[in-house]
């Protein structure tokens, strides 16, 4: 069993979970993920690693409360435990001295872009961090990100902070920064990483995206996480989760992501929450 | 004067009671119900107790087959069980999923006179009898040698190595990537063929013997083999064949196209058939095609039926005669209503506007000259293309070894299919103090072959630990 050290809703509907998993942090690198289960009857879900503490043996992840598993995770408190935290899985994000790197994060990606920005900074890059949300109250870890960024920008859909609109505003940010951007790295939901990749496609700026398709085992065994990259099929769990954003077949990925959309709503309303189902049936 | 004539030997194997096809199509309970005491004794009495039994050399783990059968015939089930477990720690599993007709039973002398002794069914009988007695007896362990062995993978190969080495006094730790022990026994083989409670019981037995078990631990990621070598005297890799093959034809990434591993893992390990009691979602498919002709294909097809599909097809490019699946499983599938489309090759999958598979374009085949495998080669019949309407496709054409360990273990030699190269007689790999066996070496094979490889490796590891020789 893996003990929950800290659990909180950091901004509306987005949860930060820190769990003791000493094996996972022995050799973890930025860009990797864990698979966890909320309970014995729970499914296995992949979550990007946002931070870790090697000494304490803890790992921190963020997740949006959307389905049965995430709502159960969200209900956990410090001192509770969960039956599975396995990792670190996936290939770490490539870290090198590229020159100027722009890191874009949205949603849970605001958290998981942090260790990547930190390592890029350590590797000598000029790090431009951009975070995106519907509104300014949905930002978090801003101070933490500042410590590893040379510059920070904000995009909000309602214009309450920074650039108003969506990821296409990234284009202007890249111009405002001045000088060449050598690499763009994007973490967040599929829609966000797709939009980001479209922004950099015309200029051909190398764009690395972290993909989060449906997974089960996370070790290459089941193949549900397959994505088309260029002409070939790759398994996001073992070949990724990072891929060249300009090579991803987005249409296919977005459809595959929605495979269990209907079924995900059902357990949310039936997962042994009788009061709630009584309420629904009236 | 000769003695009075011996009673004539009954050549008919005792049938094992099964759930009727109509009923079992509706549930996930075990299909075969097992022998009663009477049936088991009658079947055991058919055994000739050969002086030079031909069945034993056919068994990869060298079970004393006449010995354990004698126990049943003599009504001494405890004795029979002990004889059986001397060589096989997983008899309840093997009694159910071994291809006995290709191994022990093929050697049985009675083959020439009707039908072989039902060795597998008798093995299962004893294992189930023992379980019904309550706690299994824990054999006396030898004194600790102080040597430590790490085993990568909690499937049949790893479990065998663990069982053999712990009984020889070594300290054993199994590292398993999934949250349950058993490997393919828990994620791949359906409940109706191998109840998971049985696997649990056998794993529990190993735990009682003192085997340390670390689940949720991916060697190759959580720690490397090299890092394990710093702490352990030897490492055995039995990580299995965990990389599903696809045919590389158009439409394979459509929604509703599964690898057999995904489909079966969702169902077995993650208990999808108990959704929504369990959270892992599954889809209600009406027309399901399974591509392939092995045991895994049969398992997928029969699972799909039980989930309520109206029609389930097995699409296989050769004829019934060449089906690689066990005859018993083919017959079970037929009885349950699986439709076989022989001499058929899928060419591409066609999706609807939402990205879900809706049709398969197929091509009819005919059999030509035998190929390297000795089976007649399927040859396309030009212009025989036709469409099959299906809302799910399960690709059960095989797996290659999981690359995680070869990729993260420098100095470990691999073959052209990514399989770890290991000496057949010892299980030794090209890397010092590392042994390997099971599907990661052989490619996808059977439970008993993995166990046989485990036994060979355990012997060699023991030799090394005691004498420093390999």
């Amino acid at each position: 069993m893996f003990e929950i050290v800290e659990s909180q809703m950091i901004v509306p509907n987005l949860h930060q979970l820190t769990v003791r998993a000493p094996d996972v942090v022995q050799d973890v690198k930025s860009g990797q993920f864990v698979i966890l289960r909320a309970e014995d009857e729970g499914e296995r879900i992949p979550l990007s690693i946002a931070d870790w503490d090697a000494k304490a043996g803890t790992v921190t992840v963020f997740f949006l409360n959307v389905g049965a598993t995430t709502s159960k995770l969200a209900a956990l408190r410090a001192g509770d435990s969960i039956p599975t935290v396995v990792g670190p899985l996936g290939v770490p994000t490539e870290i090198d001295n590229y020159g100027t790197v722009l890191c874009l994060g949205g949603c849970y990606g605001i958290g998981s872009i942090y260790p990547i920005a930190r390592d890029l900074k350590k590797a000598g890059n000029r790090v431009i961090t951009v975070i995106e949300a519907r509104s300014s109250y949905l930002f978090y870890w801003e101070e933490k990100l500042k410590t590893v960024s040379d510059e920070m920008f904000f995009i909000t859909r309602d214009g309450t902070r920074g650039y108003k609109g969506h990821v296409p505003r990234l284009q202007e940010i890249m111009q405002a920064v001045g000088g060449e951007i050598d690499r763009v790295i994007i973490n967040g939901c599929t829609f966000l990483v797709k939009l980001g990749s479209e922004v950099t496609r015309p200029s051909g700026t190398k764009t690395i995206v972290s993909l989060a398709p449906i997974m089960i085992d996370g070790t290459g065994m089941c193949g549900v996480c397959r994505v088309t990259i260029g002409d070939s099929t790759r398994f996001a769990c073992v070949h990724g989760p990072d891929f060249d954003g300009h090579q991803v077949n987005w249409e296919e990925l977005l459809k595959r992501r929605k495979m269990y959309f209907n079924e995900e709503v059902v357990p949310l309303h039936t997962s042994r929450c009788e009061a709630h189902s009584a309420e629904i049936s009236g | 004067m000769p003695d009075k004539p011996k009673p004539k030997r009954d050549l008919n194997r005792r049938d094992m009671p099964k759930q009727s096809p109509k009923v079992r199509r509706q549930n996930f309970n075990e299909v075969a119900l097992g022998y009663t005491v009477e049936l088991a004794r009658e079947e055991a009495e058919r055994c000739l107790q050969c002086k030079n039994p031909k069945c034993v050399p056919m068994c990869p783990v060298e079970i004393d087959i006449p010995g354990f059968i004698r126990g049943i015939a003599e009504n001494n089930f405890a004795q029979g069980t002990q004889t059986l477990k001397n060589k096989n720690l997983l008899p309840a599993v093997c009694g159910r999923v071994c291809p006995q007709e290709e191994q022990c039973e093929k050697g049985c002398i009675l083959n020439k006179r009707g039908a072989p002794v039902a060795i597998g069914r008798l093995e299962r009988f004893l294992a189930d009898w023992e379980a019904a007695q309550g706690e299994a007896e824990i054999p006396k362990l030898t004194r600790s040698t102080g040597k430590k062995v790490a085993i990568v993978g909690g499937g049949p190969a790893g479990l065998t190595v663990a069982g053999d080495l712990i009984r020889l006094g070594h300290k054993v730790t199994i590292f398993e990537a999934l949250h349950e022990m058993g490997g393919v026994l828990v994620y791949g083989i359906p409940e109706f063929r191998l109840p998971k409670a049985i696997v649990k019981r056998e794993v529990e037995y190993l735990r009682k013997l003192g085997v340390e078990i670390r689940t949720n631990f991916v060697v190759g990621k959580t720690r490397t083999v090299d890092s394990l070598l710093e702490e352990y005297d030897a490492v055995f890799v039995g990580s299995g064949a965990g990389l599903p093959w696809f045919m590389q034809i158009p439409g394979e990434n459509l929604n509703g196209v599964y690898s057999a591993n995904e489909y079966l893992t969702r169902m077995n390990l993650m208990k999808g058939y108990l959704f929504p009691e369990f959270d892992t979602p599954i889809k209600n498919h009406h027309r399901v095609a399974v591509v392939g002709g092995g045991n895994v294909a049969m398992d997928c097809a029969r699972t799909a039926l039980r989930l309520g599909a109206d029609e389930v097809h097995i699409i296989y490019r050769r004829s019934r005669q060449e089906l690689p699946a066990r005859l018993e499983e083919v017959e079970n599938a037929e009885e349950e209503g699986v439709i076989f489309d022989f001499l058929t090759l899928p060419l591409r999958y066609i999706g609807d506007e939402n990205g879900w598979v809706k049709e398969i374009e197929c091509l009819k085949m005919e059999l030509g000259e035998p190929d390297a495998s000795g089976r007649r080669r399927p040859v396309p019949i030009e212009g025989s293309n036709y469409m099959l309407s299906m809302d799910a496709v399960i690709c059960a054409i095989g797996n290659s070894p999981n690359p995680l360990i070869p990729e993260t273990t420098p100095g470990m030699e691999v073959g052209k299919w990514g399989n770890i190269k290991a000496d057949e007689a010892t299980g030794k790999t090209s890397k010092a103090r590392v042994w390997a066996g099971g599907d990661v070496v052989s490619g996808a094979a059977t439970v008993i072959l993995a166990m046989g490889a485990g036994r060979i490796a355990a012997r060699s590891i023991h030799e090394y630990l005691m004498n420093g020789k390999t």
Side-chain angles (χ1 to χ4, degrees):
Chain A
M1 293 299 270
F2 299 83
E3 188 204 344
I4 307 288
V5 178
E6 208 186 327
S7 165
Q8 57 165 326
M9 189 165 80
I10 192 157
V11 295
N13 214 33
L14 196 106
H15 295 258
Q16 176 181 344
L17 186 77
T18 299
V19 57
R20 202 178 303 284
D23 289 333
V24 172
V25 296
Q26 281 197 21
D27 193 27
V28 60
K29 295 193 174 64
S30 52
Q32 291 188 292
F33 64 93
V34 288
I35 281 196
L36 53 76
R37 288 189 310 145
E39 56 178 14
D40 283 331
E41 294 80 15
E43 62 179 327
R44 296 167 66 93
I45 60 162
L47 296 174
S48 301
I49 296 172
D51 204 1
W52 60 90
D53 180 337
K55 232 166 105 190
T58 59
V59 54
T60 297
V61 293
F62 289 92
F63 61 89
L64 204 57
N65 185 352
V66 285
T69 302
T70 47
S71 73
K72 277 169 201 161
L73 279 177
L76 297 171
R77 291 292 158 257
D80 292 342
S81 40
I82 54 177
T84 293
V85 180
V86 61
L89 299 169
V91 179
T93 298
E94 253 178 56
I95 304 288
D96 206 337
N97 190 344
Y98 301 106
T100 300
V101 183
L102 188 145
C103 296
L104 168 64
C107 188
Y108 61 83
I110 296 177
S112 63
I113 204 80
Y114 163 74
I116 297 167
R118 181 193 62 197
D119 289 357
L120 285 165
K121 181 79 194 148
K122 255 189 239 160
N125 292 282
R126 175 175 171 228
V127 175
I128 316 290
T129 302
V130 183
I131 56 178
E132 184 274 346
R134 257 195 346 270
S135 187
S136 59
Y137 69 89
L138 294 170
F139 289 131
Y140 59 94
W141 273 20
E142 188 182 326
E143 293 308 312
K144 223 170 149 158
L145 282 163
K146 259 187 193 149
T147 61
V148 297
S149 311
D150 292 281
E151 276 181 83
M152 254 188 101
F153 293 89
F154 303 85
I155 305 174
T156 53
R157 251 160 287 170
D158 64 1
T160 45
R161 181 136 187 220
Y163 288 74
K164 180 178 176 176
H166 209 323
V167 176
R169 299 292 306 259
L170 188 61
Q171 186 64 55
E172 293 154 62
I173 295 174
M174 288 172 74
Q175 279 156 9
V177 169
E180 189 83 1
I181 304 267
D182 298 290
R183 183 172 278 238
V184 174
I185 297 174
I186 315 177
N187 272 212
C189 72
T190 308
F191 191 57
L192 175 110
V193 295
K194 170 185 188 286
L195 282 185
S197 302
E198 294 312 332
V199 169
T200 58
R201 194 188 294 276
S203 63
T205 310
K206 181 88 169 167
T207 300
I208 303 298
V209 294
S210 177
L211 301 184
I214 296 170
M215 289 184 191
I216 302 179
D217 67 295
T219 64
M221 185 268 274
C222 85
V224 65
C225 66
R226 56 196 193 274
V227 286
T228 302
I229 308 293
D231 294 331
S232 59
T233 291
R234 311 290 278 165
F235 291 180
C237 67
V238 287
H239 302 124
D242 284 2
F243 293 101
D244 181 339
H246 299 149
Q247 299 285 318
V248 177
N249 181 336
W250 295 107
E251 199 193 340
E252 178 189 280
L253 177 62
L254 285 164
K255 280 176 182 160
R256 287 187 68 82
R257 284 273 316 161
K258 277 197 231 152
M259 225 183 309
Y260 292 100
F261 183 76
N262 293 333
E263 288 74 12
E264 269 159 9
V265 182
V266 177
L268 187 59
H269 294 289
T270 57
S271 46
R272 292 173 295 283
C273 176
E274 280 158 15
H276 190 53
S277 48
E279 199 179 301
I280 293 168
S281 62
Chain B
M1 279 293 284
D3 294 341
K4 62 179 177 181
K6 280 187 187 158
K8 224 176 160 192
R9 199 171 285 277
D10 184 355
L11 290 179
N12 297 316
R13 277 156 74 106
R14 294 299 175 274
D15 275 334
M16 180 163 50
K18 287 199 267 191
Q19 282 195 72
S20 84
K22 236 168 137 181
V23 173
R24 68 187 197 236
R25 249 191 89 146
Q26 314 287 329
N27 67 52
F28 277 86
N29 301 336
E30 197 169 13
V31 166
L33 301 170
Y35 276 153
T36 58
V37 170
E38 290 71 33
L39 285 171
R41 289 198 39 203
E42 284 169 26
E43 184 62 28
E45 281 164 8
R46 293 184 58 231
C47 175
L48 298 176
Q49 294 291 323
C50 307
K51 282 224 171 61
N52 285 312
K54 301 275 186 286
C55 51
V56 179
M58 298 290 283
C59 172
V61 294
E62 306 144 8
I63 295 171
D64 174 5
I65 293 166
F68 87 75
I69 292 182
R70 191 164 55 240
I72 301 174
E74 290 171 355
N75 217 14
N76 191 346
F77 300 151
Q79 177 60 46
T81 306
Q82 208 183 356
T83 307
L84 178 59
K85 288 184 91 172
N86 255 337
K87 285 289 171 76
N88 184 357
L89 284 170
L90 306 172
V93 173
C94 290
R96 284 169 168 84
V97 303
C98 271
Q100 290 102 8
E101 63 279 6
E102 291 298 321
Q103 297 173 331
C104 53
E105 292 178 14
K106 200 176 194 177
C108 178
I109 196 88
L110 286 187
N111 257 321
K112 292 186 187 138
R113 300 175 48 189
V117 174
I119 299 170
R121 293 171 185 177
L122 291 173
E123 179 180 21
R124 168 187 166 146
F125 168 78
L126 277 185
D128 291 356
W129 173 83
E130 190 197 26
Q133 308 308 303
E135 292 283 290
E137 212 174 300
I138 304 294
K140 247 195 154 149
L141 294 176
T142 15
R143 240 181 47 194
S144 167
T145 60
K147 303 284 184 185
K148 290 167 71 181
V149 181
I151 292 172
V152 181
L159 292 173
T160 304
V161 176
D164 284 4
L165 291 181
I166 194 116
R167 288 196 295 189
L168 292 165
H170 308 299
K171 190 171 166 3
V172 177
T173 307
I174 304 181
F175 296 92
E176 165 57 46
L178 291 170
H179 56 271
E180 295 256 12
M181 285 287 292
V184 72
L185 306 176
V186 293
Y187 75 73
I189 302 178
E191 182 76 13
F192 56 80
R193 206 148 72 79
L194 177 66
K196 299 305 154 245
I198 287 171
V199 182
K200 268 212 162 93
R201 193 176 78 214
E202 312 253 17
V203 170
E204 204 43 48
Y205 178 70
L206 283 183
R207 206 193 295 268
K208 280 188 189 143
L209 290 178
V211 173
E212 186 193 359
I213 288 170
R214 308 268 309 263
T215 49
N216 300 309
F217 198 111
V218 186
V219 176
K221 282 288 167 190
T222 309
R223 277 178 77 178
T224 59
V225 168
D226 279 326
S227 138
L228 291 177
L229 283 170
E230 289 167 18
E231 198 182 321
Y232 293 87
D233 298 293
V235 173
F236 173 80
V237 180
S239 52
L243 193 77
W245 284 344
F246 288 93
M247 289 173 69
Q248 319 291 343
I249 59 177
E252 271 184 317
N253 290 353
L254 286 165
N255 289 355
V257 180
Y258 304 87
S259 77
N261 276 358
E262 182 202 346
Y263 190 74
L264 292 174
T265 302
R266 218 169 246 291
M267 295 308 302
N268 301 321
L269 177 75
M270 302 310 298
K271 302 276 185 283
Y273 65 94
L274 297 175
F275 174 80
E277 188 192 326
F278 279 67
D279 287 334
T280 301
I282 51 151
K283 283 279 174 191
N284 286 326
H285 294 299
H286 300 288
R287 295 175 52 84
V288 180
V290 180
V291 180
N295 289 325
V296 175
M298 302 304 139
D299 286 346
C300 291
R302 297 170 69 200
T303 298
L305 275 182
R306 282 161 173 77
L307 283 172
D310 304 319
E311 230 176 75
V312 178
H313 291 239
I314 293 248
I315 297 182
Y316 181 57
R317 63 195 185 124
R318 301 183 204 241
S319 74
R320 190 177 192 280
Q321 226 185 327
E322 289 85 24
L323 275 176
R326 293 184 65 188
L327 185 61
E328 191 178 331
E329 304 307 334
V330 176
E331 285 170 356
N332 278 334
E334 282 171 336
E335 281 172 19
E336 287 164 15
V338 172
I339 299 161
F340 285 77
D341 298 344
F342 293 114
L343 293 164
T344 302
L345 182 76
L347 290 179
R348 65 184 174 116
Y349 305 119
I350 297 144
D352 66 13
E353 63 281 6
N354 298 316
W356 283 87
V357 64
K358 64 169 186 182
E359 270 184 317
I360 309 176
E361 184 180 347
C362 298
L363 188 65
K364 292 304 280 181
M365 311 290 277
E366 57 191 348
L367 290 180
E369 293 303 306
D371 63 12
S373 73
R375 297 175 301 176
R376 293 178 64 193
R377 186 198 305 272
V379 183
I381 303 176
E382 289 304 323
S384 64
N385 307 43
Y386 70 102
M387 305 300 270
L388 261 178
S389 138
M390 290 285 161
D391 60 2
V393 175
I394 304 164
C395 205
I397 58 166
N399 300 288
S400 42
N402 194 305
L404 272 183
I405 305 246
E407 275 173 9
T408 56
T409 312
M412 182 180 270
E413 228 178 287
V414 293
K416 97 172 152 174
W417 303 105
N419 52 304
I420 295 176
K421 282 192 176 169
D423 186 291
E424 246 177 71
T426 60
K428 253 188 82 56
T429 71
S430 59
K431 200 171 165 77
R433 295 193 289 135
V434 180
W435 283 255
D439 284 2
V440 74
V441 171
S442 61
T446 63
V447 169
I448 193 76
L449 285 175
M451 293 177 62
R455 167 129 312 144
I456 288 168
R459 204 173 283 157
S460 168
I461 292 170
H462 177 63
E463 185 74 6
Y464 164 74
L465 294 176
M466 302 317 287
N467 308 323
K469 276 190 242 142
T470 56

